[in-house]
Structures are given as structure tokens and as C-alpha cells.
Amino acid sequence: MNDLSNYRKSYEKSELLENQIPEDPMNLFNRWFYEVEEFGGVGEVNAMTVSTIGLDGFPKARVVLLKKFYEEGFVFYTNYDSEKGKAILNNPNICLSFFWHSMERQVIIKGIAEKTPVNISDHYFSSRPNGSKLGAIVSPQSQIIPSREYLTQKLTELEKQYEGKEIPRPENWGGFLVRPVSVEFWQGRPNRLHDRIRYTLQNDYSWKIERLAP
Ligand SMILES: Cc1cc2nc3c(=O)[nH]c(=O)nc-3n(C[C@H](O)[C@H](O)[C@H](O)COP(=O)(O)O)c2cc1C
């Protein structure tokens, strides 16, 4: 038996009070993101968990890299034919979450995902190193493949095929923009009395701000 009941930590790094927060959650996300990057010592501050409701009815969560955030929302790139791609195209209500343990912070975003316009996906794809571009073409993400050699062989073939040539973005690879409808910020505090502030999008596009019990 692995009894983990003594794994316990007191959270004391920061606080999240109503008088410190902006009206728009994207501004608070921006502040937290760069504070974590600067002071947090997190390896990949832009690594987030993307949760979807699958075609099989089950939720599934996996880590993906956030590649852009701005007033409209959050952008990541993936294969549209992957398990998550199909799930999102069937049900665009998804959840993004970040756990920045070094700053004792969590952010949970519920939002509605849509494909980014093709020119945005093209632009990002063209900025990637050639190895990553070929990797995206080689890999039928989330499908069953016979072996690792299947990938390495395909990669060798494509390296020859595209030597000295522009590598095109596969049509089934691109971005999703997630427009947030709810953003919850969690700051760890002593004695389990953590700060939780939730922003909820209103019909007039303003944000309602509420404190939740930890
Ligand atoms: C740190 C990290 C970063 C990742 N970044 C991405 C990414 O940006 N896009 C992506 O499609 N998969 C990324 N993955 C792989 C996904 O976690 C997942 O294995 C893959 O997208 C297939 O998921 P699916 O079968 O649920 O669609 C990343 C994994 C890790 C651990």
C-alpha cells in the first residue's frame, strides 16, 4: 500500500485579494503567467492540461503547449484528426488548466474552442523547425501504428522528398482558439484557506467576479 496521507504542504507564497485584481481575467492571467515565468522556476510555464468530452462520453485530459494568449482567448496547435481534435469538433466546450506549483497557483479556464483561421495556422506552422514540421506530417496523431520504425521510416522518406523545399502544413494540423467563459484563479494560502476568485462572462461581455470557498 502506498499511503500518501502525510504528503502535505503549507502554501505561503502569495495571495489573491479583490483589491488587487483587474476587471478582465486575461489581464490577471497575463500578470500571473509572467510572474511565474520570472520568479517561478517552472520548466514549461506554457504547459497546460486540455480537457475534452470525448466521442465515447468520457472526459480526457492531456498536456498541450499554450502558444498564444490575447484579448480573444488562448491558442494551441494540434492535429484536428487526433482524439482531442475530433472531441472538440463534436463538442467545443473544453477546459484548460495550469498548475504552477512553484508559485502555488492554479488557473482553470472553461471556454469554447474554434479552429483558428488557416492563415494563422500557416503562419505558426511555417515558424516551426523543419523537424517539427515533418513530425506533424509523419504522425497520424492518436491512431494505432505498427511500430516506432513506421515513424522513423516515414520521416526518412519525407526528409528526402522535401530536401531544399518548402514543407507545407498538413490540412489536418492547426490551431484552436479557446474563448473563455469562466476563469478561476487559485492561490494557495496557509491552513487550507486558499484564495479562489472566479470570473464569469456575462451576456453584456462584462465579467462577474466572485470569491469561492476553498
Ligand atoms: C509537455 C507536453 C507538451 C505537449 N504539447 C503538445 C502540443 O502542443 N500539441 C499536441 O497536439 N500535443 C502535445 N503534447 C502531446 C499530448 O499530451 C497528447 O499526447 C497528444 O496531443 C495526443 O492527445 P489525444 O490523443 O488526446 O488527442 C504534449 C505533451 C506534453 C507532455
Side-chain angles (χ1 to χ4, degrees):
M1 186 182 53
N2 298 284
D3 182 358
L4 309 178
S5 51
N6 281 331
Y7 282 44
R8 191 172 290 127
K9 183 176 169 212
S10 179
Y11 299 113
E12 307 185 337
K13 295 252 161 84
S14 192
E15 58 184 18
L16 182 62
L17 302 177
E18 283 78 350
N19 63 8
Q20 306 166 341
I21 59 176
E23 280 173 21
D24 189 320
M26 294 309 281
N27 293 337
L28 184 53
F29 183 86
N30 185 76
R31 187 200 298 169
W32 272 27
F33 185 90
Y34 289 108
E35 279 175 2
V36 170
E37 180 166 63
E38 196 172 342
F39 307 114
V42 170
E44 286 183 291
V45 62
N46 62 329
M48 61 182 181
T49 300
V50 177
S51 306
T52 53
I53 302 293
L55 300 181
D56 58 4
F58 282 90
K60 183 181 172 187
R62 79 290 280 160
V63 174
V64 166
L65 295 180
L66 176 67
K67 286 292 170 177
K68 182 157 49 175
F69 64 93
Y70 60 114
E71 312 83 64
E72 307 271 309
F74 304 85
V75 176
F76 65 91
Y77 292 90
T78 194
N79 185 313
Y80 292 137
D81 293 327
S82 64
E83 187 175 348
K84 87 182 83 47
K86 288 177 180 159
I88 293 171
L89 296 173
N90 180 59
N91 181 350
N93 296 350
I94 73 171
C95 180
L96 311 176
S97 62
F98 296 81
F99 172 42
W100 292 315
H101 53 88
S102 57
M103 295 282 283
E104 302 164 351
R105 286 177 175 174
Q106 171 178 232
V107 182
I108 302 172
I109 298 146
K110 289 184 190 169
I112 300 170
E114 61 192 63
K115 283 184 178 178
T116 53
V118 288
N119 63 314
I120 303 283
S121 296
D122 283 340
H123 184 259
Y124 175 68
F125 189 80
S126 68
S127 75
R128 303 178 93 208
N130 279 354
S132 308
K133 288 181 185 168
L134 291 177
I137 301 176
V138 162
S139 171
Q141 194 178 54
S142 314
Q143 288 178 34
I144 295 166
I145 51 171
S147 61
R148 174 138 200 111
E149 286 65 47
Y150 169 87
L151 296 176
T152 46
Q153 251 178 34
K154 241 171 116 180
L155 180 63
T156 311
E157 285 163 26
L158 286 174
E159 278 169 349
K160 280 198 202 114
Q161 188 183 330
Y162 285 110
E163 205 178 336
K165 294 190 194 131
E166 186 68 27
I167 304 166
R169 175 181 64 85
E171 265 179 36
N172 65 355
W173 189 98
F176 281 112
L177 164 66
V178 182
R179 295 180 187 275
V181 297
S182 153
V183 187
E184 184 185 323
F185 295 86
W186 183 100
Q187 175 69 59
R189 299 294 306 272
N191 303 318
R192 297 291 174 268
L193 295 181
H194 314 299
D195 287 327
R196 291 178 67 193
I197 298 285
R198 183 180 64 195
Y199 289 75
T200 309
L201 188 63
Q202 305 297 285
N203 287 336
D204 65 358
Y205 294 102
S206 66
W207 291 94
K208 183 162 76 180
I209 299 177
E210 292 159 309
R211 174 171 288 268
L212 305 178

